[in-house]
Amino acid sequence: MARNNYSGLATRLYVDADLTTGQAVVLPADKAHFLGRVLRLSDGASLGLFNGRDGLWQASITALEKRQAVLALEQQLMAQPVTAHGPHLIMPPIKKARADWLVEKATELGVAAITPVVTEHTAVRDVKRERWRKITIEAAEQCERLTLPTLVDPQPLGQCLEQWPVDQPLFVATERLSAPLLTQAVTQTAAHAILVGPEGGFSSAELDQFGKLPFVHMISLGPQVLRAETAALAALAILNASAGAPGDASPNS
C-alpha cells in the first residue's frame, strides 16, 4: 500500500526496470560507482527508485560491487501521478551550454514535453537528445518528480503547427508586438503549451501564419527582450503558477 512519508530517502535513482514488490533491481557499473564511491553507501542502505511508470519505491542495497549493484524492492512509497499535466515547451534549439541548462531547469519546473522546432531565424540545428535525456534524469532525481519529460524529435515549425490539435490552445511568446501578458492570458485560456522564438525573433511570414491559426494565442512576457532560455523558463513558471503545481504527465500533443 502506498504511503506519503518518504522524506527520509535522501537518494533517488531513475531506473528502466519495472518496479514490483520483492523484485531485485540490478544497476550497472556507473550507478554502482555513484552509490559506493560518490555517496559512500554500503550494503543495507535505503534509497528511492522510480521509472516514470510505477511510482516511488523504497529499496535497499543487497550487494554493492565494482561492476554492479543489486537492490531489493521493499515497498511502494508513492503511487504514480496520473492526473497532473505539466506544460509543453516548444522552441528552436539554442547553443549547447545554454540548452543543457534550459533542459535541466525546465525539468525542475515540471515541463511535460520539449519539442525543438526549426524556424527561419534558427541558427543552431544540432539537438543532443541522448545528452538531454541524461540531463532530464539527473534533474528528475534531484527535484523529486516521478516522470521524465518527453523529448520530441526536432521538426520544422510549419510541420509542428500543421500537426497541432486545433482544440488545444498554443501560446506564442512574441516581442515588440501588442499582445496581452501571459499572466493575463493564462486566466482566460487554459493553454498548457508555449512556443518561444529564436534569437532574432520570428519572421514576418511566421507571424502572418500565427495570425491565421485559431488555436494560436499571441502573448507577451513583458517589455524586456529576453534571451530564448530566459523566456522559456519565465513562461513555464507562469504556466505552473496558474495550474497550481508542476506537472508529472505526458505532453498535450
Side-chain angles (χ1 to χ4, degrees), residues 31-102:
K31 294 289 189 182
H33 174 82
F34 176 71
L35 294 178
R37 298 292 184 178
V38 179
L39 298 181
R40 303 292 184 182
L41 299 180
S42 58
D43 290 2
S46 293
L47 62 151
L49 298 181
F50 68 101
N51 60 8
R53 306 182 300 275
D54 301 320
L56 176 66
W57 284 76
Q58 180 174 315
S60 62
I61 301 173
T62 59
L64 185 55
E65 304 170 355
K66 184 176 182 179
R67 295 179 180 272
Q68 69 177 26
V70 181
L71 287 73
L73 293 176
E74 297 175 344
Q75 61 178 328
Q76 187 188 53
L77 300 179
M78 185 177 182
Q80 187 68 27
V82 294
T83 57
H85 294 273
H88 184 169
L89 173 63
I90 307 160
M91 65 176 294
I94 56 178
K95 293 180 180 179
K96 177 178 174 295
R98 286 159 45 200
D100 291 352
W101 181 81
L102 171 59

Side-chain angles (χ1 to χ4, degrees), residues 149-196:
T150 299
L151 301 177
V152 183
D153 288 331
Q155 57 191 263
L157 174 61
Q159 176 182 331
C160 179
L161 295 175
E162 288 174 4
Q163 297 176 348
W164 194 262
V166 295
D167 61 339
Q168 295 184 12
L170 171 64
F171 287 135
V172 177
T174 186
E175 53 192 43
R176 301 190 179 93
L177 290 181
S178 177
L181 291 171
L182 179 57
T183 50
Q184 300 170 339
V186 76
T187 62
Q188 303 172 6
T189 304
H192 294 283
I194 181 74
L195 167 60
V196 175

Side-chain angles (χ1 to χ4, degrees), residues 112-133:
I114 301 175
T115 299
V117 291
V118 178
T119 70
E120 289 190 30
H121 294 164
T122 299
V124 177
R125 303 298 175 99
D126 190 22
V127 173
K128 304 290 188 182
R129 284 197 62 188
E130 287 305 311
R131 179 177 177 83
W132 284 13
R133 176 174 168 79

